[in-house]
Every structure is written in structure tokens, then in C-alpha cells.
């Protein structure tokens, strides 16, 4: 079985894409651009691609990696705006 | 709120052998405060500075960097397998709208714990439930029909000609938006006497009907004083066995959904009021 590839080669693409989007939007859209300007089908890792690993602290201060969260049948990873709004 | 709803499905996810975590740009103390107040026990991960959000390529680039909300991701949900490879991803295109985790799970054919009603019809029975007992405006949830045809009986799939296909007909009402219905792939049935191939279901199958509480101005007005919403409809079908077709049937169904106002409580403000 092959290991999950989550090295820089894998993650550079989306990172660069995000940067170019930031600059692109900043340069061409003055205020309140519509959300439809971004095609949400194409943002972030796609089906069949590995999620880049991470190491982030949880609400108790404990470091968690993606790998540590995976169950026998995987995991659900949710990105949300904020718990504070 | 999405995190509270996720907490409510933690047991179902554990049973399914799936881990759960939610990531935002909030600092750890904000997450600790929220988790304590709302009873969140699964990991709320702090991506303060949004480095992971950027690395994933999902930073909300439509927010101006001078705005305090800069650093938000585009809200989305990833399902990954045990190696961390994406099996499905859901990013909602409309700000006010979101599918519940329960709805996403049943659309993937997974089991969730929900109070269900079993109705016996002619030549089949239907177990039906709503994926969520409460919903807010803009929430996409699902009405699920698990249909079990009797032995040697088949019913017709959407797209069939000459027979009445299975259909869930919901009675229209203000504040409720009926969206897509998901039907499984049918089997091909060869009916020799007529030398015809027809798309059918003969084994147990699931229909998932996506429904939304209308977040528009009209929808909000219609649901203003509603605390419990009853959605009614009928399951329509025509059953046949290998020799005869029976009369088309219409099976009445209903679901009750609690309507919750939008949760706009802020962690810090709440904390200050309590002290």
C-alpha cells in the first residue's frame, strides 16, 4: 500500500492558486465582489486527491494532525467561517 | 449552528468508523469558550493566521484583507477515506445556504439514527424520516424514503415510458423549497412477453429528497411565527410482478420539522454578559 502523499509538491499548487486569486481579486475588484466570482467546484483539494496533512491545536490546546483524526473509514473535515460571529 | 449539529451526529460518525474535526481561523481560547458553552467534544481546530486554509487553496478571496473577517475559508466539507484521500467535497455556492451533515451522509447511502415511520403499502413498504429534527432558514435537509418492494415485485424508475415511475410528490407550502431528489441507478428488467427492457427497482432502494427552509424575504415572512412545520406528500408508484401490473398507488406521508431562528450569538459578547 502506498503512503499518502502530502508533501510540498502536493500542496504548492493550491497555495499558489490562492495567492494568485488574492492578487487577482485585489487588483481587479474594488469593493464587495460577488461570491460567484469564484468557482467553488474548483477550490481546494479535489476528489481523488489526498488532503494535505496539518498540525493544528484543538480547543483543549492539543496538537492534532489529519492522520490522527482518521478512523477505519476515514473522516469528515469541515471548514467553517468562525465560532465567533 | 453547524458545530452543534455536527456534535449531534458524532455517534453516527463513530459507528461508521469516521473521525470528525472542524477547522476555522479562530484562536484556541475562542474555540475553548464555544466548546464549553455548547458542549462540543470533537476537535475544533485553530488555524489562527489561516495558514492551513491558504495551503488548501480555500481562503475566501472575496473578503478584503482590511476586513476583520479576512482569513475565513470558503465553507466546505471534505469526506476522506482512511488514507486521507478525498472521496467527496461539498462547497455551498450560496452564502445563506448549507446542507446538514445528516443530509450529506444519507446522500452517500450511510445510515443515521433518526426517528422513522414505517408505512405498509400495497406490494411494498416505505420507511421514511427527515434527516434533521430541527432546521434553520437556508438549511438543506433531506426527506428519506427507504422503499422495500415485496418479493418478486418491481416498481418503475424515473424515465420509464408506458408505466408510472416512482415519485415523491410534496404538497407545496410557503417557506418550503423542494429541491433535487436523488434516485438510485435502476436495474434493467426484461419483460419477455412484450420483449421490452424497462428500468426498475426490485431490491430495497432509497430516495433522498432535498428540501430547504426558504431564506428569502418571502420565506422568512412565511416562517416567522412557525415553530413546527409539517411537510406532507405522497409516494406514488406502480408495482408489477412477473405476470401482472397492479393499480397505481399513492401512499400519504408526513414529516415534522422544528424551525429554529438563525443563531447569531457571539462567543465573546455572551461571555461578557455572563460575568
Amino acid at each position: 500500500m502506498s503512503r499518502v502523499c502530502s508533501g510540498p509538491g502536493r500542496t504548492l499548487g493550491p497555495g499558489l492558486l490562492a495567492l494568485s486569486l488574492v492578487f487577482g481579486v485585489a487588483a481587479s475588484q474594488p469593493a464587495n465582489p460577488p461570491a460567484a466570482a469564484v468557482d467553488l467546484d474548483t477550490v481546494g483539494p479535489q476528489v481523488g486527491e489526498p488532503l494535505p496533512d496539518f498540525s493544528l491545536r484543538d480547543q483543549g490546546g492539543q496538537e492534532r494532525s489529519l492522520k490522527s483524526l482518521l478512523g477505519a473509514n476515514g473522516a469528515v473535515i469541515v471548514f467553517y467561517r468562525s465560532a465567533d460571529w | 449552528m453547524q458545530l452543534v449539529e455536527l456534535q449531534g451526529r458524532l455517534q453516527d460518525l463513530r459507528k461508521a468508523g469516521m473521525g470528525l474535526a472542524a477547522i476555522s481561523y479562530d484562536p484556541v481560547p475562542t474555540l475553548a469558550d464555544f466548546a464549553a458553552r455548547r458542549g462540543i467534544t470533537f476537535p475544533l481546530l485553530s488555524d489562527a493566521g489561516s495558514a492551513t486554509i491558504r495551503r488548501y487553496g480555500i481562503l475566501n478571496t472575496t473578503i478584503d484583507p482590511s476586513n476583520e473577517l479576512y482569513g475565513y475559508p470558503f465553507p466546505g466539507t471534505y469526506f476522506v477515506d482512511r488514507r486521507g484521500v478525498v472521496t467527496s467535497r461539498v462547497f455551498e455556492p450560496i452564502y445563506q445556504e448549507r446542507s446538514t451533515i445528516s443530509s450529506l451522509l444519507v446522500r452517500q447511502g450511510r445510515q443515521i439514527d433518526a426517528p422513522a415511520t414505517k408505512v405498509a403499502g400495497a406490494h411494498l413498504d416505505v420507511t421514511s424520516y427527515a434527516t434533521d429534527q430541527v432546521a434553520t432558514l437556508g438549511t438543506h435537509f433531506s426527506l428519506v424514503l427507504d422503499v422495500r418492494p415485496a418479493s418478486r415485485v418491481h416498481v418503475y424508475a424515473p424515465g420509464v415510458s408506458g408505466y408510472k415511475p416512482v415519485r415523491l410528490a410534496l404538497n407545496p407550502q410557503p417557506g418550503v423549497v423542494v429541491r433535487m431528489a436523488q434516485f438510485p441507478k435502476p436495474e434493467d428488467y426484461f419483460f419477455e412477453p412484450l420483449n421490452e427492457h424497462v428500468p426498475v427497482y426490485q431490491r430495497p432502494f432509497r430516495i433522498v429528497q432535498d428540501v430547504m427552509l426558504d431564506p428569502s424575504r418571502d420565506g422568512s415572512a412565511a416562517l416567522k411565527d412557525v415553530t413546527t412545520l409539517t411537510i406532507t406528500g405522497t409516494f406514488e408508484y406502480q408495482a408489477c410482478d412477473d405476470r401482472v401490473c397492479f393499480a397505481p398507488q399513492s401512499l400519504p406521508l408526513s414529516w415534522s420539522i422544528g424551525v429554529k431562528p438563525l443563531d447569531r450569538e457571539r462567543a465573546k459578547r455572551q461571555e461578557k454578559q455572563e460575568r
Side-chain angles (χ1 to χ4, degrees), chain B residues 151-197:
Chain B
S151 167
R152 298 167 52 150
V153 161
H154 58 263
V155 293
Y156 295 95
V160 73
S161 59
Y163 299 91
K164 193 175 176 181
V166 291
R167 186 168 92 96
L168 174 61
L170 295 181
N171 299 322
Q173 62 174 305
V176 176
V177 180
V178 177
R179 302 178 78 258
M180 298 267 291
Q182 175 186 295
F183 292 84
K185 198 171 175 297
E187 288 177 57
D188 178 68
Y189 182 83
F190 179 57
F191 188 54
E192 205 170 350
L194 291 177
N195 192 29
E196 65 177 4
H197 287 270

Side-chain angles (χ1 to χ4, degrees), chain B residues 23-209:
Chain B
I23 301 176
S24 69
Y25 81 154
D26 296 319
V28 171
T30 302
L31 297 175
D33 177 68
F34 185 87
R37 282 189 299 109
R38 306 301 290 266
I40 307 295
T41 59
F42 66 91
L44 301 180
L45 302 181
S46 168
D47 185 27
S50 306
T52 297
I53 289 166
R54 278 171 222 266
R55 198 154 53 88
Y56 270 55
I58 56 174
L59 182 76
N60 188 334
T61 46
T62 66
I63 298 172
D64 191 272
S66 64
N67 191 312
E68 66 169 309
L69 306 183
Y70 184 72
Y72 273 17
F74 292 115
T77 301
Y78 278 103
F79 291 82
V80 298
D81 66 16
R82 65 192 169 86
R83 294 179 304 130
V85 174
V86 178
T87 53
S88 79
R89 59 186 283 293
V90 181
F91 283 78
E92 309 283 359
I94 302 171
Y95 173 74
Q96 302 92 336
E97 297 183 17
R98 183 174 59 77
S99 295
T100 66
I101 184 70
S102 311
S103 173
L104 297 179
L105 289 169
V106 298
R107 277 185 242 164
Q108 294 176 10
R110 295 179 190 276
Q111 298 299 329
I112 60 165
D113 186 24
T117 309
K118 190 169 175 177
V119 183
H123 312 290
L124 54 72
D125 59 53
V126 177
T127 304
S128 93
Y129 57 92
T131 53
D132 295 82
Q133 269 60 67
V134 289
T136 50
L137 303 196
T139 302
H140 295 196
F141 59 96
S142 301
L143 306 176
V144 182
L145 274 64
D146 283 327
V147 184
R148 204 175 49 147
S151 167
R152 298 167 52 150
V153 161
H154 58 263
V155 293
Y156 295 95
V160 73
S161 59
Y163 299 91
K164 193 175 176 181
V166 291
R167 186 168 92 96
L168 174 61
L170 295 181
N171 299 322
Q173 62 174 305
V176 176
V177 180
V178 177
R179 302 178 78 258
M180 298 267 291
Q182 175 186 295
F183 292 84
K185 198 171 175 297
E187 288 177 57
D188 178 68
Y189 182 83
F190 179 57
F191 188 54
E192 205 170 350
L194 291 177
N195 192 29
E196 65 177 4
H197 287 270
V198 279
V200 302
Y201 303 114
Q202 338 186 45
R203 283 189 266 272
F205 65 99
R206 173 177 285 184
I207 300 171
V208 182
Q209 172 70 60

Side-chain angles (χ1 to χ4, degrees), chain A residues 16-77:
Chain A
L16 281 178
L17 177 66
L19 277 177
S20 62
L21 280 173
V22 169
F23 292 129
V25 168
S28 60
Q29 310 244 355
N32 261 347
V38 175
D39 181 1
L40 293 176
D41 288 343
T42 63
V43 302
Q46 299 292 308
V47 172
E49 296 177 359
L51 274 196
D53 205 357
F54 49 73
S55 184
L56 297 170
R57 285 197 296 151
D58 67 16
Q59 65 267 46
Q62 191 189 333
E63 289 275 345
R64 305 269 196 161
S65 66
L66 172 62
K67 273 188 186 157
S68 73
L69 296 164
L70 297 174
N73 288 316
V76 180
I77 306 295

